[in-house]
Amino acid sequence: MSILTQPWPWYVSGILIGLMVPALLIIGNKSFGVSSTLRHICAACTPTKLTFFKYDWKQESWNLMFVFGVAIGGLIAGYFWQNPEPVQLTESAVESMNQMGVKNYSGLIPTDIFNFKALLTLKGFILMVVGGFFVGFGTRWAGGCTSGHAIMGLSNLQWPSLVATCCFFAGGLLMTWLILPYIMNL
Amino acid sequence: MKKNIKFILLGILFGIILIKAEVTSWFRIQEMFRFQSFHMYGIICTAIVVGIISVWLIKKYRIKSVAGEEINIAPKIFHKGNIFGAIIFGLGWAMTGACPGPMYALIGSGYGVFIVILLSAVFGTYIYGLLKDKLSH
């Protein structure tokens, strides 16, 4: 059973993620990308006059089906095949995160910080609600996320995707090194 | 429904990969942005190399989709959002430790609070739609 619950080495994971690109192209002539599902949800759920959300989202519903599958995959791999061991982080990473006040390393995410109760605290609200907002707002303005730009766009050698990928990292570095330590201390 | 099943199945596979790769882990994302581990870089770079080779082969041999269609990939056209939007995305990525794909996977894994994070991301996309004409592109 441990073969199912163990995490996979980076090269296995990397190859499989990369193979998503040809798999989607060949089975459905679709370009890999997840963040447009957020737009489809807006188009499907919000009664709006905004032209940005006025399109036949059902025509694009393949990736809503795809992310529905992703959630089921999460249930299978993260719940039924849950890794009983904590994530094997480097010592220096644990040390840095200890300094930021992280205590619970048992799962995939620090559940002492990311939980429903914490939403009512300033720190939790900023990390989860504002953070989520940045992801959704930023990805649409950028025209894609890590899947659409960093994986699909770069696979197709699109230089705007290289710019976007570098800027994803720039934003992440800015947050991690300069801003996050303050948020974590709130 | 029949044509949707293949996308659901591929999604299930991708969800399993995301969890087993641990790329949905806030810890791993922190470790990456702090340059403390090779794990995430190894995954991203391998995925890109495999993707580049795959797309090159598909173009070179004019491989068709299973429905027999010519495979076409829409080009990405540069605009300023590739910079400003992407930086904002990066801020959110380091805060939540999750980009959109992992959000769905984490919800499925039972980390229920990610429903709130996902809804917040949907709201962010909505506000983008509202402000679209005022933002530079």
Side-chain angles (χ1 to χ4, degrees), chain A residues 4-5 8 26-27 29 37 69 74-75 81 90 93 96 108 129 132 136 141-142 146 155-156 158 177 180, chain B residues 6 12 20 25 30-31 33 36 47 51 59 66 70 72 76 79 82 85 99 104 108-109 111 120-121 125 136:
Chain A
L4 293 179
T5 58
W8 298 342
I26 290 169
I27 72 153
N29 205 1
T37 56
L75 175 72
W81 301 344
T90 56
S96 320
L108 281 170
V129 178
W141 194 7
T146 23
S155 294
N156 196 29
Q158 299 293 300
W177 290 88
L180 195 63
Chain B
K6 58 188 182 186
I12 293 174
K20 288 296 157 197
S25 169
Q30 272 298 300
E31 207 182 32
F33 283 132
Q36 287 163 328
K59 285 181 178 171
V66 285
E70 201 78 50
N72 49 54
K76 296 275 188 187
H79 58 80
N82 296 147
C99 38
Y104 292 103
S109 300
Y111 295 104
S120 204
T125 300
S136 72

mmCIF file of all heavy atoms in Angstrom, chain A residues 4-5 8 26-27 29 37 69 74-75 81 90 93 96 108 129 132 136 141-142 146 155-156 158 177 180, chain B residues 6 12 20 25 30-31 33 36 47 51 59 66 70 72 76 79 82 85 99 104 108-109 111 120-121 125 136:
data_model
loop_
_atom_site.group_PDB
_atom_site.id
_atom_site.type_symbol
_atom_site.label_atom_id
_atom_site.label_comp_id
_atom_site.label_asym_id
_atom_site.label_seq_id
_atom_site.Cartn_x
_atom_site.Cartn_y
_atom_site.Cartn_z
ATOM 1 N N LEU A 4 1.222 3.553 -2.931
ATOM 2 C CA LEU A 4 0.158 4.509 -3.249
ATOM 3 C C LEU A 4 0.240 5.775 -2.405
ATOM 4 O O LEU A 4 -0.108 6.853 -2.857
ATOM 5 C CB LEU A 4 -1.216 3.854 -3.043
ATOM 6 C CG LEU A 4 -1.582 2.723 -4.010
ATOM 7 C CD1 LEU A 4 -2.949 2.152 -3.660
ATOM 8 C CD2 LEU A 4 -1.576 3.222 -5.448
ATOM 9 N N THR A 5 0.667 5.612 -1.154
ATOM 10 C CA THR A 5 0.639 6.764 -0.256
ATOM 11 C C THR A 5 1.911 7.614 -0.349
ATOM 12 O O THR A 5 1.893 8.784 0.009
ATOM 13 C CB THR A 5 0.455 6.306 1.212
ATOM 14 O OG1 THR A 5 1.515 5.423 1.550
ATOM 15 C CG2 THR A 5 -0.879 5.616 1.402
ATOM 16 N N TRP A 8 5.806 11.187 -4.993
ATOM 17 C CA TRP A 8 6.632 10.767 -6.128
ATOM 18 C C TRP A 8 7.852 11.678 -6.250
ATOM 19 O O TRP A 8 7.791 12.862 -5.938
ATOM 20 C CB TRP A 8 5.821 10.845 -7.423
ATOM 21 C CG TRP A 8 4.642 9.936 -7.442
ATOM 22 C CD1 TRP A 8 4.410 8.852 -6.643
ATOM 23 C CD2 TRP A 8 3.490 10.056 -8.300
ATOM 24 N NE1 TRP A 8 3.206 8.278 -6.969
ATOM 25 C CE2 TRP A 8 2.619 8.984 -7.967
ATOM 26 C CE3 TRP A 8 3.120 10.937 -9.321
ATOM 27 C CZ2 TRP A 8 1.401 8.800 -8.612
ATOM 28 C CZ3 TRP A 8 1.905 10.736 -9.972
ATOM 29 C CH2 TRP A 8 1.061 9.682 -9.615
ATOM 30 N N ILE A 26 -3.999 15.965 -27.943
ATOM 31 C CA ILE A 26 -4.362 14.816 -28.772
ATOM 32 C C ILE A 26 -5.785 14.323 -28.481
ATOM 33 O O ILE A 26 -6.544 14.059 -29.405
ATOM 34 C CB ILE A 26 -3.310 13.688 -28.621
ATOM 35 C CG1 ILE A 26 -2.008 14.140 -29.309
ATOM 36 C CG2 ILE A 26 -3.804 12.381 -29.236
ATOM 37 C CD1 ILE A 26 -0.804 13.283 -29.054
ATOM 38 N N ILE A 27 -6.163 14.271 -27.214
ATOM 39 C CA ILE A 27 -7.522 13.743 -26.981
ATOM 40 C C ILE A 27 -8.612 14.775 -27.288
ATOM 41 O O ILE A 27 -9.729 14.410 -27.592
ATOM 42 C CB ILE A 27 -7.748 13.163 -25.557
ATOM 43 C CG1 ILE A 27 -7.826 14.261 -24.510
ATOM 44 C CG2 ILE A 27 -6.746 12.092 -25.198
ATOM 45 C CD1 ILE A 27 -8.647 13.830 -23.317
ATOM 46 N N ASN A 29 -7.777 18.380 -28.698
ATOM 47 C CA ASN A 29 -7.317 19.604 -29.351
ATOM 48 C C ASN A 29 -7.477 20.808 -28.426
ATOM 49 O O ASN A 29 -7.923 21.877 -28.844
ATOM 50 C CB ASN A 29 -8.085 19.813 -30.663
ATOM 51 C CG ASN A 29 -7.281 20.660 -31.648
ATOM 52 O OD1 ASN A 29 -6.154 21.073 -31.366
ATOM 53 N ND2 ASN A 29 -7.881 20.943 -32.794
ATOM 54 N N THR A 37 -11.133 28.474 -15.978
ATOM 55 C CA THR A 37 -12.320 27.941 -15.290
ATOM 56 C C THR A 37 -12.910 28.981 -14.346
ATOM 57 O O THR A 37 -14.121 29.015 -14.150
ATOM 58 C CB THR A 37 -11.979 26.684 -14.447
ATOM 59 O OG1 THR A 37 -10.927 27.002 -13.531
ATOM 60 C CG2 THR A 37 -11.554 25.536 -15.338
ATOM 61 N N GLY A 69 -12.556 16.775 -12.361
ATOM 62 C CA GLY A 69 -11.700 15.596 -12.249
ATOM 63 C C GLY A 69 -10.525 15.833 -11.304
ATOM 64 O O GLY A 69 -10.180 14.967 -10.512
ATOM 65 N N GLY A 74 -7.779 14.752 -6.312
ATOM 66 C CA GLY A 74 -7.333 15.203 -4.992
ATOM 67 C C GLY A 74 -7.903 14.319 -3.892
ATOM 68 O O GLY A 74 -7.220 13.968 -2.930
ATOM 69 N N LEU A 75 -9.165 13.954 -4.057
ATOM 70 C CA LEU A 75 -9.823 13.071 -3.082
ATOM 71 C C LEU A 75 -9.128 11.705 -3.041
ATOM 72 O O LEU A 75 -8.845 11.178 -1.960
ATOM 73 C CB LEU A 75 -11.303 12.904 -3.470
ATOM 74 C CG LEU A 75 -12.135 11.925 -2.635
ATOM 75 C CD1 LEU A 75 -12.402 12.494 -1.249
ATOM 76 C CD2 LEU A 75 -13.460 11.613 -3.329
ATOM 77 N N TRP A 81 -5.379 7.954 -0.484
ATOM 78 C CA TRP A 81 -3.966 7.561 -0.514
ATOM 79 C C TRP A 81 -3.117 8.585 0.245
ATOM 80 O O TRP A 81 -1.986 8.858 -0.143
ATOM 81 C CB TRP A 81 -3.451 7.449 -1.948
ATOM 82 C CG TRP A 81 -4.177 6.474 -2.811
ATOM 83 C CD1 TRP A 81 -5.020 5.477 -2.409
ATOM 84 C CD2 TRP A 81 -4.135 6.406 -4.244
ATOM 85 N NE1 TRP A 81 -5.502 4.802 -3.505
ATOM 86 C CE2 TRP A 81 -4.978 5.340 -4.637
ATOM 87 C CE3 TRP A 81 -3.463 7.133 -5.224
ATOM 88 C CZ2 TRP A 81 -5.171 5.004 -5.976
ATOM 89 C CZ3 TRP A 81 -3.652 6.784 -6.563
ATOM 90 C CH2 TRP A 81 -4.495 5.733 -6.945
ATOM 91 N N THR A 90 13.466 20.475 3.401
ATOM 92 C CA THR A 90 14.851 20.639 3.831
ATOM 93 C C THR A 90 14.865 21.303 5.216
ATOM 94 O O THR A 90 13.924 22.009 5.585
ATOM 95 C CB THR A 90 15.644 21.517 2.843
ATOM 96 O OG1 THR A 90 14.968 22.756 2.703
ATOM 97 C CG2 THR A 90 15.759 20.855 1.483
ATOM 98 N N ALA A 93 14.444 24.999 5.230
ATOM 99 C CA ALA A 93 13.073 25.452 4.971
ATOM 100 C C ALA A 93 12.250 25.393 6.251
ATOM 101 O O ALA A 93 11.505 26.331 6.570
ATOM 102 C CB ALA A 93 12.434 24.590 3.886
ATOM 103 N N SER A 96 13.176 28.277 8.491
ATOM 104 C CA SER A 96 12.585 29.554 8.079
ATOM 105 C C SER A 96 11.108 29.603 8.428
ATOM 106 O O SER A 96 10.599 30.643 8.851
ATOM 107 C CB SER A 96 12.698 29.771 6.574
ATOM 108 O OG SER A 96 13.909 29.345 6.091
ATOM 109 N N LEU A 108 -0.222 18.519 3.921
ATOM 110 C CA LEU A 108 0.354 19.211 2.770
ATOM 111 C C LEU A 108 0.442 20.717 3.004
ATOM 112 O O LEU A 108 1.234 21.408 2.376
ATOM 113 C CB LEU A 108 -0.505 18.954 1.523
ATOM 114 C CG LEU A 108 -0.330 17.617 0.813
ATOM 115 C CD1 LEU A 108 -1.420 17.427 -0.232
ATOM 116 C CD2 LEU A 108 1.046 17.543 0.149
ATOM 117 N N VAL A 129 -8.122 35.117 1.926
ATOM 118 C CA VAL A 129 -9.098 35.847 1.111
ATOM 119 C C VAL A 129 -8.392 36.816 0.162
ATOM 120 O O VAL A 129 -8.644 36.816 -1.046
ATOM 121 C CB VAL A 129 -10.120 36.585 2.007
ATOM 122 C CG1 VAL A 129 -11.105 37.373 1.151
ATOM 123 C CG2 VAL A 129 -10.860 35.578 2.876
ATOM 124 N N GLY A 132 -6.209 34.712 -2.283
ATOM 125 C CA GLY A 132 -7.034 34.103 -3.325
ATOM 126 C C GLY A 132 -7.468 35.130 -4.359
ATOM 127 O O GLY A 132 -7.447 34.870 -5.564
ATOM 128 N N GLY A 136 -6.775 35.142 -8.481
ATOM 129 C CA GLY A 136 -7.824 35.209 -9.503
ATOM 130 C C GLY A 136 -7.747 36.454 -10.368
ATOM 131 O O GLY A 136 -7.920 36.399 -11.589
ATOM 132 N N TRP A 141 -5.661 38.923 -15.577
ATOM 133 C CA TRP A 141 -4.974 40.058 -16.200
ATOM 134 C C TRP A 141 -3.731 39.564 -16.967
ATOM 135 O O TRP A 141 -3.410 40.021 -18.067
ATOM 136 C CB TRP A 141 -4.595 41.084 -15.126
ATOM 137 C CG TRP A 141 -4.187 42.422 -15.661
ATOM 138 C CD1 TRP A 141 -4.236 42.852 -16.964
ATOM 139 C CD2 TRP A 141 -3.673 43.524 -14.896
ATOM 140 N NE1 TRP A 141 -3.778 44.144 -17.059
ATOM 141 C CE2 TRP A 141 -3.428 44.585 -15.811
ATOM 142 C CE3 TRP A 141 -3.400 43.726 -13.535
ATOM 143 C CZ2 TRP A 141 -2.916 45.817 -15.397
ATOM 144 C CZ3 TRP A 141 -2.897 44.955 -13.123
ATOM 145 C CH2 TRP A 141 -2.664 45.988 -14.056
ATOM 146 N N ALA A 142 -3.072 38.560 -16.382
ATOM 147 C CA ALA A 142 -1.866 38.009 -17.015
ATOM 148 C C ALA A 142 -2.209 37.135 -18.221
ATOM 149 O O ALA A 142 -1.341 36.823 -19.027
ATOM 150 C CB ALA A 142 -1.072 37.195 -15.994
ATOM 151 N N THR A 146 0.007 29.317 -13.904
ATOM 152 C CA THR A 146 1.187 28.472 -14.029
ATOM 153 C C THR A 146 0.989 27.380 -15.086
ATOM 154 O O THR A 146 1.942 27.009 -15.765
ATOM 155 C CB THR A 146 1.522 27.836 -12.663
ATOM 156 O OG1 THR A 146 0.327 27.833 -11.885
ATOM 157 C CG2 THR A 146 2.561 28.628 -11.928
ATOM 158 N N SER A 155 5.865 25.552 -23.391
ATOM 159 C CA SER A 155 5.980 24.375 -24.261
ATOM 160 C C SER A 155 5.841 24.766 -25.727
ATOM 161 O O SER A 155 6.436 24.168 -26.605
ATOM 162 C CB SER A 155 4.899 23.340 -23.930
ATOM 163 O OG SER A 155 5.105 22.829 -22.646
ATOM 164 N N ASN A 156 5.031 25.798 -25.968
ATOM 165 C CA ASN A 156 4.815 26.281 -27.333
ATOM 166 C C ASN A 156 5.752 27.449 -27.665
ATOM 167 O O ASN A 156 5.534 28.165 -28.636
ATOM 168 C CB ASN A 156 3.348 26.680 -27.501
ATOM 169 C CG ASN A 156 2.938 26.815 -28.953
ATOM 170 O OD1 ASN A 156 3.496 26.146 -29.824
ATOM 171 N ND2 ASN A 156 1.984 27.683 -29.217
ATOM 172 N N GLN A 158 6.284 30.431 -26.426
ATOM 173 C CA GLN A 158 5.670 31.762 -26.529
ATOM 174 C C GLN A 158 6.413 32.724 -25.606
ATOM 175 O O GLN A 158 6.388 32.539 -24.382
ATOM 176 C CB GLN A 158 4.196 31.676 -26.117
ATOM 177 C CG GLN A 158 3.366 30.753 -26.986
ATOM 178 C CD GLN A 158 3.219 31.289 -28.392
ATOM 179 O OE1 GLN A 158 2.695 32.374 -28.601
ATOM 180 N NE2 GLN A 158 3.699 30.537 -29.379
ATOM 181 N N TRP A 177 9.898 37.151 0.544
ATOM 182 C CA TRP A 177 11.052 37.747 1.222
ATOM 183 C C TRP A 177 10.729 39.056 1.919
ATOM 184 O O TRP A 177 11.297 39.363 2.970
ATOM 185 C CB TRP A 177 12.197 37.955 0.230
ATOM 186 C CG TRP A 177 12.799 36.648 -0.189
ATOM 187 C CD1 TRP A 177 12.380 35.867 -1.227
ATOM 188 C CD2 TRP A 177 13.870 35.948 0.438
ATOM 189 N NE1 TRP A 177 13.127 34.720 -1.291
ATOM 190 C CE2 TRP A 177 14.055 34.744 -0.291
ATOM 191 C CE3 TRP A 177 14.710 36.214 1.540
ATOM 192 C CZ2 TRP A 177 15.040 33.810 0.055
ATOM 193 C CZ3 TRP A 177 15.696 35.286 1.869
ATOM 194 C CH2 TRP A 177 15.845 34.108 1.127
ATOM 195 N N LEU A 180 5.613 38.664 3.324
ATOM 196 C CA LEU A 180 5.058 37.548 4.104
ATOM 197 C C LEU A 180 5.497 37.530 5.574
ATOM 198 O O LEU A 180 4.657 37.289 6.448
ATOM 199 C CB LEU A 180 5.373 36.211 3.416
ATOM 200 C CG LEU A 180 4.573 34.999 3.902
ATOM 201 C CD1 LEU A 180 3.085 35.173 3.632
ATOM 202 C CD2 LEU A 180 5.074 33.719 3.253
ATOM 203 N N LYS B 6 -13.680 11.949 -21.057
ATOM 204 C CA LYS B 6 -12.220 11.894 -21.227
ATOM 205 C C LYS B 6 -11.533 13.056 -20.497
ATOM 206 O O LYS B 6 -10.444 12.896 -19.958
ATOM 207 C CB LYS B 6 -11.851 11.882 -22.711
ATOM 208 C CG LYS B 6 -12.350 13.066 -23.502
ATOM 209 C CD LYS B 6 -12.105 12.859 -24.990
ATOM 210 C CE LYS B 6 -12.570 14.086 -25.761
ATOM 211 N NZ LYS B 6 -12.500 13.907 -27.208
ATOM 212 N N ILE B 12 -8.758 13.740 -13.322
ATOM 213 C CA ILE B 12 -8.497 12.877 -12.153
ATOM 214 C C ILE B 12 -7.011 12.532 -12.094
ATOM 215 O O ILE B 12 -6.360 12.650 -11.057
ATOM 216 C CB ILE B 12 -9.357 11.584 -12.219
ATOM 217 C CG1 ILE B 12 -10.837 11.936 -12.048
ATOM 218 C CG2 ILE B 12 -8.909 10.578 -11.159
ATOM 219 C CD1 ILE B 12 -11.797 10.759 -12.238
ATOM 220 N N LYS B 20 0.546 13.947 -5.490
ATOM 221 C CA LYS B 20 1.716 13.088 -5.285
ATOM 222 C C LYS B 20 3.032 13.829 -5.569
ATOM 223 O O LYS B 20 4.083 13.470 -5.045
ATOM 224 C CB LYS B 20 1.605 11.828 -6.157
ATOM 225 C CG LYS B 20 0.541 10.863 -5.656
ATOM 226 C CD LYS B 20 0.902 10.315 -4.285
ATOM 227 C CE LYS B 20 -0.293 9.818 -3.505
ATOM 228 N NZ LYS B 20 0.005 9.672 -2.068
ATOM 229 N N SER B 25 1.493 21.813 -2.065
ATOM 230 C CA SER B 25 1.866 22.057 -0.675
ATOM 231 C C SER B 25 2.384 23.479 -0.464
ATOM 232 O O SER B 25 3.339 23.900 -1.109
ATOM 233 C CB SER B 25 2.956 21.059 -0.254
ATOM 234 O OG SER B 25 3.505 21.439 0.987
ATOM 235 N N GLN B 30 6.826 27.608 -0.402
ATOM 236 C CA GLN B 30 7.727 28.445 0.398
ATOM 237 C C GLN B 30 9.185 28.038 0.182
ATOM 238 O O GLN B 30 10.060 28.878 -0.010
ATOM 239 C CB GLN B 30 7.372 28.297 1.893
ATOM 240 C CG GLN B 30 6.318 29.272 2.348
ATOM 241 C CD GLN B 30 6.784 30.714 2.185
ATOM 242 O OE1 GLN B 30 7.774 31.131 2.753
ATOM 243 N NE2 GLN B 30 6.052 31.480 1.381
ATOM 244 N N GLU B 31 9.404 26.724 0.211
ATOM 245 C CA GLU B 31 10.751 26.183 0.024
ATOM 246 C C GLU B 31 11.311 26.625 -1.334
ATOM 247 O O GLU B 31 12.477 26.971 -1.461
ATOM 248 C CB GLU B 31 10.627 24.653 0.068
ATOM 249 C CG GLU B 31 11.820 23.896 0.523
ATOM 250 C CD GLU B 31 11.564 22.388 0.465
ATOM 251 O OE1 GLU B 31 10.797 21.917 -0.411
ATOM 252 O OE2 GLU B 31 12.128 21.690 1.286
ATOM 253 N N PHE B 33 10.349 29.378 -3.191
ATOM 254 C CA PHE B 33 10.623 30.820 -3.250
ATOM 255 C C PHE B 33 11.799 31.220 -2.353
ATOM 256 O O PHE B 33 12.369 32.285 -2.499
ATOM 257 C CB PHE B 33 9.369 31.627 -2.879
ATOM 258 C CG PHE B 33 8.352 31.698 -3.991
ATOM 259 C CD1 PHE B 33 7.009 31.439 -3.754
ATOM 260 C CD2 PHE B 33 8.739 32.026 -5.292
ATOM 261 C CE1 PHE B 33 6.070 31.503 -4.776
ATOM 262 C CE2 PHE B 33 7.802 32.092 -6.320
ATOM 263 C CZ PHE B 33 6.469 31.830 -6.057
ATOM 264 N N GLN B 36 15.353 26.889 -1.173
ATOM 265 C CA GLN B 36 15.884 25.943 -0.193
ATOM 266 C C GLN B 36 15.801 24.490 -0.645
ATOM 267 O O GLN B 36 16.228 23.589 0.072
ATOM 268 C CB GLN B 36 15.147 26.131 1.148
ATOM 269 C CG GLN B 36 15.586 27.421 1.840
ATOM 270 C CD GLN B 36 14.627 27.868 2.913
ATOM 271 O OE1 GLN B 36 13.430 27.639 2.815
ATOM 272 N NE2 GLN B 36 15.150 28.514 3.939
ATOM 273 N N ALA B 47 8.830 19.332 -16.577
ATOM 274 C CA ALA B 47 7.529 19.449 -17.252
ATOM 275 C C ALA B 47 7.646 20.309 -18.508
ATOM 276 O O ALA B 47 7.085 19.973 -19.556
ATOM 277 C CB ALA B 47 6.488 20.040 -16.299
ATOM 278 N N GLY B 51 7.078 19.129 -22.253
ATOM 279 C CA GLY B 51 6.069 19.868 -23.031
ATOM 280 C C GLY B 51 6.628 20.392 -24.342
ATOM 281 O O GLY B 51 5.995 20.252 -25.397
ATOM 282 N N LYS B 59 3.962 19.103 -33.941
ATOM 283 C CA LYS B 59 4.037 19.986 -35.110
ATOM 284 C C LYS B 59 4.818 19.342 -36.247
ATOM 285 O O LYS B 59 4.418 19.391 -37.401
ATOM 286 C CB LYS B 59 4.678 21.321 -34.718
ATOM 287 C CG LYS B 59 3.738 22.215 -33.918
ATOM 288 C CD LYS B 59 4.405 23.525 -33.572
ATOM 289 C CE LYS B 59 3.450 24.441 -32.825
ATOM 290 N NZ LYS B 59 4.137 25.621 -32.292
ATOM 291 N N VAL B 66 -7.500 12.908 -31.726
ATOM 292 C CA VAL B 66 -8.214 11.644 -31.931
ATOM 293 C C VAL B 66 -9.449 11.838 -32.807
ATOM 294 O O VAL B 66 -9.879 10.922 -33.490
ATOM 295 C CB VAL B 66 -8.618 10.958 -30.594
ATOM 296 C CG1 VAL B 66 -7.422 10.321 -29.930
ATOM 297 C CG2 VAL B 66 -9.315 11.921 -29.665
ATOM 298 N N GLU B 70 -6.830 18.895 -37.211
ATOM 299 C CA GLU B 70 -5.513 19.519 -37.191
ATOM 300 C C GLU B 70 -5.345 20.137 -35.798
ATOM 301 O O GLU B 70 -6.234 20.828 -35.325
ATOM 302 C CB GLU B 70 -5.496 20.632 -38.243
ATOM 303 C CG GLU B 70 -4.143 21.055 -38.726
ATOM 304 C CD GLU B 70 -3.566 20.078 -39.734
ATOM 305 O OE1 GLU B 70 -4.266 19.711 -40.710
ATOM 306 O OE2 GLU B 70 -2.426 19.685 -39.526
ATOM 307 N N ASN B 72 -4.316 22.782 -33.308
ATOM 308 C CA ASN B 72 -3.848 24.167 -33.321
ATOM 309 C C ASN B 72 -3.796 24.727 -31.911
ATOM 310 O O ASN B 72 -4.645 24.450 -31.068
ATOM 311 C CB ASN B 72 -4.697 25.043 -34.256
ATOM 312 C CG ASN B 72 -6.171 24.853 -34.010
ATOM 313 O OD1 ASN B 72 -6.631 24.998 -32.887
ATOM 314 N ND2 ASN B 72 -6.914 24.500 -35.057
ATOM 315 N N LYS B 76 0.137 33.151 -27.657
ATOM 316 C CA LYS B 76 -0.048 34.108 -26.560
ATOM 317 C C LYS B 76 0.440 35.465 -27.059
ATOM 318 O O LYS B 76 1.575 35.588 -27.513
ATOM 319 C CB LYS B 76 0.768 33.673 -25.334
ATOM 320 C CG LYS B 76 0.316 32.346 -24.736
ATOM 321 C CD LYS B 76 -0.830 32.528 -23.774
ATOM 322 C CE LYS B 76 -1.154 31.231 -23.026
ATOM 323 N NZ LYS B 76 -2.367 31.341 -22.209
ATOM 324 N N HIS B 79 0.873 41.541 -23.739
ATOM 325 C CA HIS B 79 0.283 42.801 -23.272
ATOM 326 C C HIS B 79 0.818 43.060 -21.864
ATOM 327 O O HIS B 79 1.434 42.172 -21.260
ATOM 328 C CB HIS B 79 -1.248 42.755 -23.322
ATOM 329 C CG HIS B 79 -1.853 41.639 -22.516
ATOM 330 N ND1 HIS B 79 -2.022 41.695 -21.161
ATOM 331 C CD2 HIS B 79 -2.316 40.422 -22.892
ATOM 332 C CE1 HIS B 79 -2.575 40.579 -20.737
ATOM 333 N NE2 HIS B 79 -2.748 39.780 -21.768
ATOM 334 N N ASN B 82 0.761 40.698 -18.821
ATOM 335 C CA ASN B 82 1.750 39.627 -18.660
ATOM 336 C C ASN B 82 2.792 40.010 -17.614
ATOM 337 O O ASN B 82 3.478 39.141 -17.072
ATOM 338 C CB ASN B 82 2.473 39.319 -19.976
ATOM 339 C CG ASN B 82 1.560 38.780 -21.067
ATOM 340 O OD1 ASN B 82 1.762 39.026 -22.240
ATOM 341 N ND2 ASN B 82 0.522 38.051 -20.673
ATOM 342 N N GLY B 85 -0.227 41.841 -14.123
ATOM 343 C CA GLY B 85 -1.125 40.787 -13.649
ATOM 344 C C GLY B 85 -0.336 39.616 -13.087
ATOM 345 O O GLY B 85 -0.683 39.056 -12.045
ATOM 346 N N CYS B 99 -1.731 27.717 -6.821
ATOM 347 C CA CYS B 99 -2.249 28.308 -8.043
ATOM 348 C C CYS B 99 -3.591 27.616 -8.323
ATOM 349 O O CYS B 99 -3.990 26.729 -7.570
ATOM 350 C CB CYS B 99 -1.227 28.192 -9.166
ATOM 351 S SG CYS B 99 -0.295 26.674 -9.202
ATOM 352 N N TYR B 104 -8.221 23.304 -6.642
ATOM 353 C CA TYR B 104 -9.244 22.270 -6.837
ATOM 354 C C TYR B 104 -8.803 20.952 -6.197
ATOM 355 O O TYR B 104 -9.595 20.253 -5.572
ATOM 356 C CB TYR B 104 -9.503 22.059 -8.334
ATOM 357 C CG TYR B 104 -10.162 23.233 -9.036
ATOM 358 C CD1 TYR B 104 -9.433 24.100 -9.845
ATOM 359 C CD2 TYR B 104 -11.529 23.457 -8.900
ATOM 360 C CE1 TYR B 104 -10.036 25.166 -10.503
ATOM 361 C CE2 TYR B 104 -12.144 24.516 -9.549
ATOM 362 C CZ TYR B 104 -11.400 25.366 -10.359
ATOM 363 O OH TYR B 104 -11.994 26.416 -10.991
ATOM 364 N N GLY B 108 -10.575 18.803 -3.011
ATOM 365 C CA GLY B 108 -10.888 17.375 -3.085
ATOM 366 C C GLY B 108 -10.217 16.572 -1.978
ATOM 367 O O GLY B 108 -10.773 15.609 -1.465
ATOM 368 N N SER B 109 -9.013 17.002 -1.573
ATOM 369 C CA SER B 109 -8.264 16.282 -0.533
ATOM 370 C C SER B 109 -8.856 16.474 0.854
ATOM 371 O O SER B 109 -8.397 15.846 1.801
ATOM 372 C CB SER B 109 -6.817 16.775 -0.476
ATOM 373 O OG SER B 109 -6.187 16.565 -1.692
ATOM 374 N N TYR B 111 -9.179 19.680 2.341
ATOM 375 C CA TYR B 111 -8.818 20.969 2.941
ATOM 376 C C TYR B 111 -9.914 21.973 2.562
ATOM 377 O O TYR B 111 -9.772 22.777 1.642
ATOM 378 C CB TYR B 111 -7.445 21.426 2.462
ATOM 379 C CG TYR B 111 -6.313 20.528 2.915
ATOM 380 C CD1 TYR B 111 -5.696 19.637 2.046
ATOM 381 C CD2 TYR B 111 -5.876 20.559 4.241
ATOM 382 C CE1 TYR B 111 -4.673 18.803 2.458
ATOM 383 C CE2 TYR B 111 -4.853 19.724 4.673
ATOM 384 C CZ TYR B 111 -4.258 18.858 3.776
ATOM 385 O OH TYR B 111 -3.242 18.034 4.202
ATOM 386 N N SER B 120 -12.722 33.295 -3.542
ATOM 387 C CA SER B 120 -12.053 34.585 -3.554
ATOM 388 C C SER B 120 -11.341 34.812 -4.891
ATOM 389 O O SER B 120 -11.340 35.927 -5.430
ATOM 390 C CB SER B 120 -11.052 34.623 -2.394
ATOM 391 O OG SER B 120 -10.806 35.925 -2.025
ATOM 392 N N ALA B 121 -10.768 33.759 -5.427
ATOM 393 C CA ALA B 121 -10.122 33.853 -6.741
ATOM 394 C C ALA B 121 -11.159 34.102 -7.834
ATOM 395 O O ALA B 121 -10.924 34.888 -8.762
ATOM 396 C CB ALA B 121 -9.332 32.568 -7.029
ATOM 397 N N THR B 125 -11.341 37.341 -10.322
ATOM 398 C CA THR B 125 -11.539 37.287 -11.776
ATOM 399 C C THR B 125 -12.716 38.178 -12.178
ATOM 400 O O THR B 125 -12.661 38.879 -13.192
ATOM 401 C CB THR B 125 -11.791 35.829 -12.215
ATOM 402 O OG1 THR B 125 -10.659 35.035 -11.853
ATOM 403 C CG2 THR B 125 -12.009 35.727 -13.713
ATOM 404 N N SER B 136 -4.365 48.692 -18.041
ATOM 405 C CA SER B 136 -3.599 48.758 -19.289
ATOM 406 C C SER B 136 -3.273 47.347 -19.773
ATOM 407 O O SER B 136 -3.009 46.442 -18.983
ATOM 408 C CB SER B 136 -2.340 49.601 -19.105
ATOM 409 O OG SER B 136 -1.421 48.908 -18.336
#
